[in-house]
PDB file of all heavy atoms in Angstrom:
ATOM      1  N   ASP A  23      61.980 120.688 -45.699  1.00 88.00           N
ATOM      2  CA  ASP A  23      60.785 121.506 -45.908  1.00 88.00           C
ATOM      3  C   ASP A  23      60.850 122.090 -47.317  1.00 88.00           C
ATOM      4  O   ASP A  23      61.935 122.447 -47.799  1.00 88.00           O
ATOM      5  CB  ASP A  23      60.757 122.627 -44.863  1.00 88.00           C
ATOM      6  CG  ASP A  23      59.606 123.579 -45.084  1.00 88.00           C
ATOM      7  OD1 ASP A  23      58.469 123.230 -44.725  1.00 88.00           O
ATOM      8  OD2 ASP A  23      59.853 124.670 -45.630  1.00 88.00           O
ATOM      9  N   GLY A  24      59.695 122.191 -47.973  1.00 89.00           N
ATOM     10  CA  GLY A  24      59.666 122.676 -49.347  1.00 89.00           C
ATOM     11  C   GLY A  24      60.258 124.055 -49.512  1.00 89.00           C
ATOM     12  O   GLY A  24      60.910 124.350 -50.516  1.00 89.00           O
ATOM     13  N   PRO A  46      58.440 117.621 -47.121  1.00 90.00           N
ATOM     14  CA  PRO A  46      57.427 118.261 -47.956  1.00 90.00           C
ATOM     15  C   PRO A  46      56.462 117.226 -48.542  1.00 90.00           C
ATOM     16  O   PRO A  46      56.675 116.020 -48.397  1.00 90.00           O
ATOM     17  CB  PRO A  46      58.283 118.890 -49.066  1.00 90.00           C
ATOM     18  CG  PRO A  46      59.427 117.935 -49.222  1.00 90.00           C
ATOM     19  CD  PRO A  46      59.716 117.439 -47.831  1.00 90.00           C
ATOM     20  N   SER A  47      55.423 117.720 -49.209  1.00 90.00           N
ATOM     21  CA  SER A  47      54.523 116.804 -49.921  1.00 90.00           C
ATOM     22  C   SER A  47      55.312 116.100 -51.024  1.00 90.00           C
ATOM     23  O   SER A  47      56.169 116.714 -51.661  1.00 90.00           O
ATOM     24  CB  SER A  47      53.357 117.582 -50.540  1.00 90.00           C
ATOM     25  OG  SER A  47      52.610 118.226 -49.534  1.00 90.00           O
ATOM     26  N   TRP A  48      55.009 114.821 -51.244  1.00 90.00           N
ATOM     27  CA  TRP A  48      55.721 114.106 -52.298  1.00 90.00           C
ATOM     28  C   TRP A  48      54.783 113.126 -52.984  1.00 90.00           C
ATOM     29  O   TRP A  48      53.719 112.808 -52.479  1.00 90.00           O
ATOM     30  CB  TRP A  48      56.943 113.379 -51.727  1.00 90.00           C
ATOM     31  CG  TRP A  48      56.632 112.265 -50.762  1.00 90.00           C
ATOM     32  CD1 TRP A  48      56.315 112.392 -49.438  1.00 90.00           C
ATOM     33  CD2 TRP A  48      56.611 110.865 -51.054  1.00 90.00           C
ATOM     34  NE1 TRP A  48      56.106 111.167 -48.866  1.00 90.00           N
ATOM     35  CE2 TRP A  48      56.276 110.199 -49.838  1.00 90.00           C
ATOM     36  CE3 TRP A  48      56.828 110.105 -52.194  1.00 90.00           C
ATOM     37  CZ2 TRP A  48      56.164 108.813 -49.764  1.00 90.00           C
ATOM     38  CZ3 TRP A  48      56.727 108.727 -52.115  1.00 90.00           C
ATOM     39  CH2 TRP A  48      56.392 108.094 -50.905  1.00 90.00           C
ATOM     40  N   GLU A  74      58.956 112.670 -56.558  1.00 91.00           N
ATOM     41  CA  GLU A  74      58.871 114.109 -56.774  1.00 91.00           C
ATOM     42  C   GLU A  74      58.416 114.783 -55.488  1.00 91.00           C
ATOM     43  O   GLU A  74      57.523 114.282 -54.803  1.00 91.00           O
ATOM     44  CB  GLU A  74      57.895 114.436 -57.907  1.00 91.00           C
ATOM     45  CG  GLU A  74      58.414 114.062 -59.287  1.00 91.00           C
ATOM     46  CD  GLU A  74      57.450 114.451 -60.392  1.00 91.00           C
ATOM     47  OE1 GLU A  74      56.251 114.702 -60.085  1.00 91.00           O
ATOM     48  OE2 GLU A  74      57.873 114.500 -61.560  1.00 91.00           O
ATOM     49  N   ILE A  75      59.040 115.919 -55.167  1.00 91.00           N
ATOM     50  CA  ILE A  75      58.652 116.688 -53.972  1.00 91.00           C
ATOM     51  C   ILE A  75      58.117 118.051 -54.401  1.00 91.00           C
ATOM     52  O   ILE A  75      58.501 118.592 -55.436  1.00 91.00           O
ATOM     53  CB  ILE A  75      59.834 116.867 -52.990  1.00 91.00           C
ATOM     54  CG1 ILE A  75      61.011 117.574 -53.679  1.00 91.00           C
ATOM     55  CG2 ILE A  75      60.267 115.530 -52.410  1.00 91.00           C
ATOM     56  CD1 ILE A  75      62.131 117.959 -52.727  1.00 91.00           C
ATOM     57  N   ARG A  76      57.220 118.583 -53.573  1.00 91.00           N
ATOM     58  CA  ARG A  76      56.597 119.876 -53.878  1.00 91.00           C
ATOM     59  C   ARG A  76      57.358 120.989 -53.158  1.00 91.00           C
ATOM     60  O   ARG A  76      57.505 120.953 -51.925  1.00 91.00           O
ATOM     61  CB  ARG A  76      55.142 119.867 -53.439  1.00 91.00           C
ATOM     62  CG  ARG A  76      54.353 121.065 -53.914  1.00 91.00           C
ATOM     63  CD  ARG A  76      52.895 120.918 -53.510  1.00 91.00           C
ATOM     64  NE  ARG A  76      52.071 121.964 -54.062  1.00 91.00           N
ATOM     65  CZ  ARG A  76      50.763 122.043 -53.897  1.00 91.00           C
ATOM     66  NH1 ARG A  76      50.134 121.118 -53.194  1.00 91.00           N
ATOM     67  NH2 ARG A  76      50.074 123.031 -54.436  1.00 91.00           N
ATOM     68  N   LEU A  77      57.818 121.973 -53.923  1.00 91.00           N
ATOM     69  CA  LEU A  77      58.563 123.087 -53.353  1.00 91.00           C
ATOM     70  C   LEU A  77      57.620 124.248 -53.028  1.00 91.00           C
ATOM     71  O   LEU A  77      56.426 124.203 -53.327  1.00 91.00           O
ATOM     72  CB  LEU A  77      59.650 123.538 -54.327  1.00 91.00           C
ATOM     73  CG  LEU A  77      60.661 122.458 -54.742  1.00 91.00           C
ATOM     74  CD1 LEU A  77      61.707 123.042 -55.686  1.00 91.00           C
ATOM     75  CD2 LEU A  77      61.342 121.838 -53.525  1.00 91.00           C
ATOM     76  N   SER A  78      58.178 125.289 -52.435  1.00 89.00           N
ATOM     77  CA  SER A  78      57.354 126.413 -51.968  1.00 89.00           C
ATOM     78  C   SER A  78      56.743 127.218 -53.107  1.00 89.00           C
ATOM     79  O   SER A  78      55.776 127.950 -52.904  1.00 89.00           O
ATOM     80  CB  SER A  78      58.202 127.340 -51.082  1.00 89.00           C
ATOM     81  OG  SER A  78      59.380 127.744 -51.758  1.00 89.00           O
ATOM     82  N   ASP A  80      55.264 125.845 -55.559  1.00 90.00           N
ATOM     83  CA  ASP A  80      54.268 124.890 -56.092  1.00 90.00           C
ATOM     84  C   ASP A  80      54.784 124.040 -57.253  1.00 90.00           C
ATOM     85  O   ASP A  80      54.001 123.331 -57.894  1.00 90.00           O
ATOM     86  CB  ASP A  80      52.976 125.603 -56.523  1.00 90.00           C
ATOM     87  CG  ASP A  80      52.157 126.042 -55.308  1.00 90.00           C
ATOM     88  OD1 ASP A  80      52.290 125.406 -54.249  1.00 90.00           O
ATOM     89  OD2 ASP A  80      51.406 127.024 -55.422  1.00 90.00           O
ATOM     90  N   SER A  81      56.071 124.121 -57.540  1.00 91.00           N
ATOM     91  CA  SER A  81      56.640 123.257 -58.573  1.00 91.00           C
ATOM     92  C   SER A  81      56.979 121.888 -57.978  1.00 91.00           C
ATOM     93  O   SER A  81      57.157 121.757 -56.762  1.00 91.00           O
ATOM     94  CB  SER A  81      57.910 123.888 -59.163  1.00 91.00           C
ATOM     95  OG  SER A  81      58.940 123.934 -58.181  1.00 91.00           O
ATOM     96  N   TRP A  82      57.051 120.883 -58.847  1.00 92.00           N
ATOM     97  CA  TRP A  82      57.424 119.531 -58.415  1.00 92.00           C
ATOM     98  C   TRP A  82      58.803 119.215 -58.971  1.00 92.00           C
ATOM     99  O   TRP A  82      59.050 119.396 -60.162  1.00 92.00           O
ATOM    100  CB  TRP A  82      56.400 118.508 -58.909  1.00 92.00           C
ATOM    101  CG  TRP A  82      55.078 118.625 -58.206  1.00 92.00           C
ATOM    102  CD1 TRP A  82      54.053 119.437 -58.545  1.00 92.00           C
ATOM    103  CD2 TRP A  82      54.658 117.905 -57.049  1.00 92.00           C
ATOM    104  NE1 TRP A  82      53.000 119.294 -57.672  1.00 92.00           N
ATOM    105  CE2 TRP A  82      53.343 118.337 -56.731  1.00 92.00           C
ATOM    106  CE3 TRP A  82      55.248 116.938 -56.232  1.00 92.00           C
ATOM    107  CZ2 TRP A  82      52.621 117.839 -55.652  1.00 92.00           C
ATOM    108  CZ3 TRP A  82      54.531 116.439 -55.162  1.00 92.00           C
ATOM    109  CH2 TRP A  82      53.243 116.887 -54.872  1.00 92.00           C
ATOM    110  N   GLN A  83      59.692 118.752 -58.090  1.00 91.00           N
ATOM    111  CA  GLN A  83      61.060 118.440 -58.496  1.00 91.00           C
ATOM    112  C   GLN A  83      61.373 116.978 -58.206  1.00 91.00           C
ATOM    113  O   GLN A  83      61.033 116.458 -57.136  1.00 91.00           O
ATOM    114  CB  GLN A  83      62.067 119.325 -57.752  1.00 91.00           C
ATOM    115  CG  GLN A  83      62.098 120.772 -58.195  1.00 91.00           C
ATOM    116  CD  GLN A  83      62.836 120.984 -59.511  1.00 91.00           C
ATOM    117  OE1 GLN A  83      63.448 120.051 -60.031  1.00 91.00           O
ATOM    118  NE2 GLN A  83      62.773 122.197 -60.035  1.00 91.00           N
TER     119      GLN A  83
END
Side-chain angles (χ1 to χ4, degrees):
D23 176 78
S47 299
W48 66 280
E74 289 182 343
I75 58 172
R76 190 176 186 178
L77 302 181
S78 54
D80 286 334
S81 67
W82 290 87
Q83 288 283 353

